[in-house]
Amino acid sequence: MSDDLNQDNITPTQQPTDNREDVKKDFAGLLGSTKKFLSELLDIRNNTDQEATKEAIIADIPFKGHTSWILICSIFIASIGLNANSTAVVIGAMLISPLMGPILGMGMSLAINDIDTLRRSLKNLTVMVVLSVLTAFLFFWVFPLKSDSSELLARVKPDIRDVLIAFFGGLALVIARAKKGTIASVIFGVAIATALMPPLCTVGYGLAIGRWDYAGGALLLFGINTIFIALATFLVLKILRFPMVRYANSKRRRFIARLVSVIALAVMIPAGWIFIGVYKEFKFKNEANQFITENIVPYKFTKDGRFLKDLTVLEYNGGETPTMELIFMGNEGVPEGVIATWEAKMNDFDDLRETDLTIIQGSQNDQVNQLKYVDELYQSQKSELLGKDEKIRLLESELNRIKKSVARQIPFQDICAEAKSNYDNLESLAFSDIQLSNFTKIDTIPVFEVKWKKNVSRKQLDRDTKKLHNWLRLRLKDSTIQLR
């Protein structure tokens, strides 16, 4: 009875307060359990062998004997693979290349304040790079078959994705190296993803054919891979708290610590500069493609105009004014008012406000000039379009279409005069191109429509029709001509 009385004496506000306290305790317990689970899941310190990791990285730094010959062989394999446009061969060259050793050595030496290892890493990396470029240059200079394959061209224009691949690839590589019982598959995967050897071979190719833009772009890609892999190594080893190298002389220790800090800062500054540069280019191209999709693609021509989206040229020139080149073909041009509207709408995009918009249009009602233009465009951009199969197919189909159209240009006035002089019973003659489809492809057929005088006999009509049909095919050198 007393318990019941005590329960009856509880005020209404006490029970909700107790419930809130219980909820807080349960929530705190849940947070604690989640934190413990994530800590056990993501912690890599407990399974790290610091001494073995350091020894393995240092062992891969030297460049002599077997390593030098492996590098030379991998350069030749990569160069042949790039020349033959063989992805499998290029991947094989990446797997056997020893270039990763000195780069990891650089990152580790900066993290543990080891100036001697840093010096060895820089020296060996420099020798490797010079030897790689020189060997690739000699190969492409001597080898008679030279072409801008897609594998080569893929290495001349790095973007934001290459920065991210290098950085996260470097993270995966160092974490795999630091684990007790190194994960070999991760090392092989990073070697393929970051692709250190192909850019150096592309530098040699660019120098061999005199294309400094190829060489510069590929060298920038190699620099991005090197810097961000070294940066990832530095960060991971710092997080894992690898022990710093101790020096007996305290004055020398302070000097080396400062020197290593300056070098680390010198590495991070260009890394940040490169990242900002490629990120700005990525933003520009992303907004440009959005602008094209929203404004250019939906534009409808009244006749047979056509926007060649795949031939759009977007150029981001760093500090210079970026450019956007749009190409249109057909017998109808884009009105000046529409172009002015597009230029005004570019101001709605932050990265397009200073962009120069260039509109290239096919000559109106002049198919011969269109043919000349497309042919010149194909020849001038062939080296850049190789490896971009869709662009090549589009350009070649456009060229073939116009060639056929030019070849089928009918001198209708002359044909009418000649036909009238040869066929007394001919009353009128008309011509048109008819498009036929079998649901797999569309063909354009030239068709002449003939009207004979009413007083002609059926036999004479059939004879003249057959004779006229054969004469038109011979006269115009086109066996597809139809008569009705």
Side-chain angles (χ1 to χ4, degrees), residues 135-370:
T135 305
F137 168 78
L138 291 175
F139 171 81
F140 286 110
W141 187 55
V142 173
F143 197 67
L145 302 177
K146 299 181 182 70
S147 63
D148 295 347
S149 67
S150 60
E151 288 289 340
L152 278 165
L153 295 176
R155 270 88 188 179
V156 300
K157 289 185 178 179
D159 60 23
I160 188 69
R161 289 165 292 192
D162 295 299
V163 173
L164 298 177
I165 289 170
F167 181 70
F168 287 105
L171 288 178
L173 178 60
V174 181
I175 292 171
R177 277 284 193 185
K179 182 181 181 298
K180 291 179 181 177
T182 301
I183 309 173
S185 60
V186 175
I187 297 174
F188 295 149
V190 172
I192 295 171
T194 53
L196 292 167
M197 181 59 67
L200 291 180
C201 293
T202 305
V203 173
Y205 173 76
L207 296 176
I209 65 171
R211 288 295 300 264
W212 297 99
D213 54 336
Y214 285 10
L219 191 60
L220 175 60
L221 176 57
F222 178 79
I224 287 173
N225 288 338
T226 300
I227 289 174
F228 281 91
I229 291 172
L231 180 61
T233 304
F234 173 84
L235 294 175
V236 170
L237 297 189
K238 279 293 188 184
I239 292 171
L240 293 176
R241 297 176 184 172
F242 270 51
M244 306 289 284
V245 173
R246 303 294 180 186
Y247 295 90
N249 188 322
S250 60
K251 188 175 180 180
R252 175 176 169 79
R253 183 177 68 250
R254 286 195 299 271
F255 169 76
I256 291 176
R258 290 170 184 165
L259 180 62
V260 169
S261 299
V262 169
I263 294 173
L265 185 62
V267 170
M268 291 182 186
I269 288 175
W273 177 78
I274 290 171
F275 182 85
I276 291 171
V278 295
Y279 179 68
K280 285 182 177 180
E281 182 175 3
F282 172 79
K283 276 188 65 184
F284 162 72
K285 291 186 176 180
N286 188 50
E287 288 196 358
N289 286 319
Q290 183 181 347
F291 166 78
I292 291 170
T293 302
E294 294 177 358
N295 298 280
I296 311 299
V297 174
Y299 179 73
K300 300 295 183 183
F301 289 92
T302 58
K303 297 180 182 177
D304 63 346
R306 181 182 179 190
F307 170 51
L308 305 182
K309 183 180 179 181
D310 287 338
L311 295 183
T312 299
V313 178
L314 302 174
E315 289 291 342
Y316 183 81
N317 305 313
E320 300 177 15
T321 303
T323 60
M324 183 191 306
E325 185 178 278
L326 307 178
I327 299 177
F328 296 83
M329 295 300 295
N331 293 327
E332 180 183 1
V334 182
E336 292 295 330
V338 174
I339 296 175
T341 303
W342 289 344
E343 290 175 340
K345 287 185 177 180
M346 288 173 66
N347 293 323
D348 296 338
F349 297 84
D350 294 336
D351 293 290
L352 301 183
R353 289 173 183 169
E354 303 298 325
T355 301
D356 284 339
L357 178 63
T358 302
I359 304 293
I360 297 178
Q361 305 184 63
S363 303
Q364 295 184 13
N365 301 319
D366 193 346
Q367 292 178 320
V368 176
N369 286 341
Q370 287 188 33

